[in-house]
């Protein structure tokens, strides 16, 4: 298996081909090792956000390892082998992995954020907001959107208990709509966190999740906060535009900023009732 991790524009690196002695294969060891390397070092230490990888067509074991580690198969390409290995062209499967979450790589910034707010950080450096220890909801927590939230967010917006009360999402709501929204929300969350030292400019943790007994996590709902940019209660279009512009121009930290909050929790969510 050939693995070429890249994370432009922050970090670029190349790992050599990966292999195990036959006596150690078939146990899931390589999958566990690559997963551990990525999550414990490449992402939190080297700030890797993107990994491109290749395996020769027919190497079913390598393909299985990629898929188990969360890679997506993106097609195929051809590479020329060394002359002492025949020099022929061989077809390879192409795989890629992209960081699923918004993370804060800087230790000093994580320390600053945790000292000034109740936000905490997971081992992979994703920010989260836990519920207080005395709360009956200690298995719930909030994080930014993740790339993998698309299907869950589509189901939430389409939920019959949610859809009739929504104003802006297109209908029918498609996965492409969700992916566009998630990309924008992740970009916004990252900017809020990276510029924290200059003053907080919003709420970066829009998604409520639940940690289940087996350690897995469940998407529960959406709870977003941002500057008011609609003013739908204002009937006159010009006045609405004026108020929106005025609110957008207010400096960070201005107590006159008007904020808006929206939340979506469907009947199918796991919230206690």
């Amino acid at each position: 298996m050939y693995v070429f991790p890249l994370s432009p524009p922050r970090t670029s690196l190349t790992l050599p081909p990966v292999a195990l002695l036959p006596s150690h294969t078939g146990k899931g060891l390589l999958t566990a090792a690559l997963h551990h390397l990525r999550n414990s070092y490449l992402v939190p230490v080297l700030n890797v956000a993107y990994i491109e990888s290749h395996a020769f067509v027919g190497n079913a074991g390598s393909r299985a390892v990629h898929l188990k580690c969360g890679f997506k198969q993106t097609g195929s390409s051809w590479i020329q082998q060394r002359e002492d290995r025949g020099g022929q062209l061989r077809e390879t499967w192409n795989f890629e992995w992209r960081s699923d979450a918004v993370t804060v790589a800087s230790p000093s910034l994580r320390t600053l954020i945790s000292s000034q707010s109740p936000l905490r950080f997971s081992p992979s450096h994703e920010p989260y907001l836990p519920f207080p220890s005395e709360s009956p909801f200690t298995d719930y927590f909030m994080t930014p959107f993740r790339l993998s939230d698309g299907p869950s967010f589509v189901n939430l917006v389409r939920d019959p208990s949610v859809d009739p009360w929504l104003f802006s999402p297109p209908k029918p709501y498609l996965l492409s709509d969700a992916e566009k929204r998630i990309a924008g929300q992740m970009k916004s969350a990252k900017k809020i966190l990276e510029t924290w030292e200059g003053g907080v400019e919003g709420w970066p943790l829009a998604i409520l999740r639940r940690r289940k007994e087996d350690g897995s996590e469940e998407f529960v709902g959406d709870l977003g906060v941002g500057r008011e940019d609609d003013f739908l209660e204002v009937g006159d279009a010009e006045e609405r535009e004026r108020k929106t512009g005025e609110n957008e121009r207010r400096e960070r930290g201005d107590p006159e900023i008007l904020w808006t909050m929206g939340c979506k929790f469907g009947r199918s969510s796991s919230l206690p009732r």
Side-chain angles (χ1 to χ4, degrees), residues 37-52:
L37 171 64
R38 182 186 66 202
N39 293 351
S40 299
Y41 191 81
L42 297 182
V43 173
V45 179
L46 298 184
N47 201 22
V48 168
Y50 175 76
I51 301 175
E52 179 183 302

Side-chain angles (χ1 to χ4, degrees), residues 207-225:
I207 300 301
L208 183 65
R209 308 182 192 276
R210 182 173 74 94
R211 184 171 290 105
K212 299 193 286 188
E213 292 184 1
D214 63 3
S216 62
E217 297 175 1
E218 178 183 10
F219 181 103
V220 176
D222 172 27
L223 181 59
V225 179

